[in-house]
Amino acid sequence: MVTEEQLNRILEDVKKQVGKADDSHNAKDLDARTAGAFKSIRSSRYEILKKDVKVAEPTKLATDVIRSAAVPNTSEAKFPRVINVVTAKDQDPNTLPIAITLRQENARDNYKVVFASQMLPGASFPGIAVGDPSVKQLGADAEGLNTKPQDAMNQLADVLTNPKSKQAGKFAESEFIKAVHAGQKSEKDEANEADVKYERKPSAKDTTVLSTPDGGAIVTGLINSTTTFKRTEDSDPLKGADELTRKLLGSSSSTGDVQIRYAEPVMFYIPAGDSKDKISLIAGEVVLLDVKQVKEN
């Protein structure tokens, strides 16, 4: 069992090491305390920051105060071991917390951040005391929930892609989902007669699941998202929507088809199998990875 004192020490070092990397923009500085999707996304942002373009720095990891933490007991936690924790810079209830997932590959390895994102406004994380013996580590195909975790990941990908998805009713109202749909509508409206196609696929290796005392579960995952702008006979050359897009494309416009890749790390809560509640998003963001011309017309 990881005690609260140990968890505080882990989080203190996470803040120190990730902060060092954020200052240096050197991906190698991430090695000690990050892995998986978080490390990959952070490294990509560092590469963009090295270019001559204005782009937001990654959100700092404020780990000073533990608000809640799901830590599976040793008998239930097989390697790789996973911890979900909500932290903040202070005790102020108006401070937006950060949801973090830590993973330890083996007994000799450090716990490393594989997910971290500010909680969505209005979202809630179950109040779980460090050391609650009812917290268990589950698989992506876990039974006993109102939806299997991996199925929920696939359903969320479909809901984000298609505003009229048949799966939409399974998810509670979310500002994140609304923002994604609004962004896609705007892209289509401004696409200059080009066809816009959205594709999303969850990354199975990045899905983690921990049970909660009420019989539900917290799921962390990554959705890989691709937007393709395909020029038609009637469409004008595709123009970059902003300075960052133009910089990554290498041009202000394209006479061919353009593909944009995003990472969408998400955390959500799945209710227990006998609950009529909906799946609710806890944290999520859309991170631009790259822009490229995939076909010359």
Side-chain angles (χ1 to χ4, degrees):
M1 177 76 72
V2 173
T3 66
E4 186 166 356
E5 182 180 354
Q6 290 171 325
L7 184 55
N8 272 310
R9 288 203 301 268
I10 291 169
L11 291 170
E12 183 179 353
D13 195 48
V14 162
K15 178 183 176 181
K16 177 182 176 181
Q17 298 299 334
V18 175
K20 176 183 176 182
D22 287 346
D23 291 338
S24 69
H25 295 163
N26 185 346
K28 289 185 178 180
D29 289 338
L30 291 170
D31 290 348
R33 282 296 186 180
T34 74
F38 179 87
K39 182 180 180 180
S40 176
I41 293 170
R42 209 80 164 187
S43 298
S44 295
R45 180 46 53 102
Y46 293 164
E47 289 303 310
I48 293 174
L49 283 164
K50 291 176 182 178
K51 301 179 185 292
D52 184 24
V53 60
K54 293 181 180 179
V55 60
E57 292 275 349
T59 301
K60 296 292 184 181
L61 294 191
T63 64
D64 304 81
V65 177
I66 296 177
R67 295 280 185 88
S68 185
V71 182
N73 62 63
T74 304
S75 64
E76 295 291 345
K78 299 177 181 179
F79 288 109
R81 290 178 176 169
V82 174
I83 294 173
N84 283 332
V85 59
V86 175
T87 67
K89 64 180 181 180
D90 53 42
Q91 296 281 10
D92 187 339
N94 295 317
T95 299
L96 201 60
I98 295 178
I100 298 173
T101 299
L102 301 162
R103 186 175 70 203
Q104 183 187 35
E105 293 298 330
N106 56 65
R108 293 184 177 85
D109 199 11
N110 284 333
Y111 271 99
K112 298 181 178 182
V113 180
V114 293
F115 172 91
S117 179
Q118 282 190 324
M119 285 182 61
L120 298 168
S124 61
F125 187 97
I128 308 171
V130 177
D132 189 319
S134 64
V135 176
K136 300 179 181 180
Q137 198 160 309
L138 305 177
D141 59 349
E143 304 278 356
L145 305 167
N146 76 4
T147 307
K148 290 184 179 181
Q150 198 57 58
D151 289 346
M153 285 294 302
N154 290 326
Q155 290 165 5
L156 178 57
D158 187 61
V159 168
L160 292 173
T161 301
N162 178 15
K164 297 181 179 179
S165 169
K166 294 180 180 179
Q167 310 297 335
K170 295 184 179 181
F171 292 83
E173 186 174 297
S174 166
E175 292 303 316
F176 177 71
I177 295 175
K178 288 180 180 179
V180 169
H181 289 167
Q184 291 175 173
K185 183 180 184 303
S186 178
E187 283 179 334
K188 288 186 175 182
D189 290 344
E190 299 173 6
N192 298 323
E193 303 287 338
D195 290 332
V196 187
K197 182 179 181 182
Y198 300 100
E199 293 181 291
R200 286 182 171 85
K201 184 176 181 180
S203 171
K205 67 179 182 179
D206 290 297
T207 302
T208 68
V209 189
L210 288 181
S211 71
T212 55
D214 62 359
I218 300 295
V219 180
T220 301
L222 172 69
I223 297 175
N224 294 307
S225 173
T226 303
T227 302
T228 303
F229 294 83
K230 186 173 183 179
R231 291 187 66 233
T232 63
E233 292 182 2
D234 298 325
S235 61
D236 296 326
L238 298 170
K239 297 181 180 179
D242 51 48
E243 182 186 357
L244 177 56
T245 301
R246 293 191 291 270
K247 191 72 177 182
L248 295 179
L249 181 62
S251 174
S252 61
S253 63
S254 171
T255 57
D257 299 346
V258 172
Q259 190 176 84
I260 306 178
R261 289 194 312 116
Y262 301 92
E264 295 173 343
V266 294
M267 176 184 282
F268 53 84
Y269 168 77
I270 302 179
D274 58 356
S275 172
K276 294 183 180 180
D277 292 338
K278 296 182 178 182
I279 300 169
S280 56
L281 267 70
I282 296 171
E285 58 183 315
V286 178
V287 184
L288 176 64
L289 298 178
D290 63 49
V291 183
K292 63 181 179 181
Q293 182 171 291
V294 293
K295 180 181 178 182
E296 177 70 40
N297 287 351

